[in-house]
Amino acid sequence: LEQKVTKYEAKLEELKVVEKQRAELEARVTELAATSEKSLQSVAALSAERTAQDEAIASLRTKLTSLEQSEAEAKKELGSAPSKQEFATIAAERDQLLQEIK
């Protein structure tokens, strides 16, 4: 009987060790689950930030295209406008005509 008691006490000690290991493993699993959740939240936040940046880039590209079109139109208009020399000649002719009128 004493041998059986000793045997059961040894088994009980083994069981206590196993229960302690199990509790430690459960705590680790809980910790890993929390870390995993934080990682998922970080990934979601980074994804949202990336989407916002992509949208901002697309908006800037649209504005750049619009500015380039405006620049091209302005260059066309400038091409048909008189040059500085032509403008100076016209101004001189105007001034001469004003003098003649007076």
Side-chain angles (χ1 to χ4, degrees):
L1 186 63
E2 198 171 306
Q3 285 178 339
K4 285 186 177 182
V5 169
T6 304
K7 184 179 174 182
Y8 285 123
E9 285 176 345
K11 289 282 185 187
L12 186 59
E13 287 302 316
E14 285 179 28
L15 187 59
K16 285 180 183 179
V17 169
V18 170
E19 283 295 321
K20 182 180 177 186
Q21 289 173 343
R22 181 176 174 215
E24 290 171 354
L25 287 173
E26 285 178 353
R28 183 72 178 131
V29 166
T30 301
E31 180 183 327
L32 288 173
T35 301
S36 177
E37 181 62 29
K38 286 180 185 176
S39 295
L40 288 173
Q41 290 173 355
S42 294
V43 167
L46 289 172
S47 178
E49 185 178 331
R50 174 68 189 261
T51 300
Q53 289 174 348
D54 288 347
E55 290 172 357
I57 288 169
S59 174
L60 289 173
R61 283 185 177 146
T62 300
K63 288 179 182 177
L64 177 61
T65 300
S66 176
L67 287 173
E68 288 171 341
Q69 289 173 346
S70 296
E71 180 183 18
E73 290 171 9
K75 284 181 179 179
K76 281 182 186 176
E77 289 177 20
L78 284 175
S80 64
S83 67
K84 287 183 181 180
Q85 186 175 4
E86 290 172 324
F87 187 75
T89 303
I90 292 169
E93 290 174 1
R94 182 200 64 206
D95 290 344
Q96 184 179 354
L97 287 172
L98 287 173
Q99 287 299 324
E100 289 177 11
I101 291 173
K102 290 181 180 181

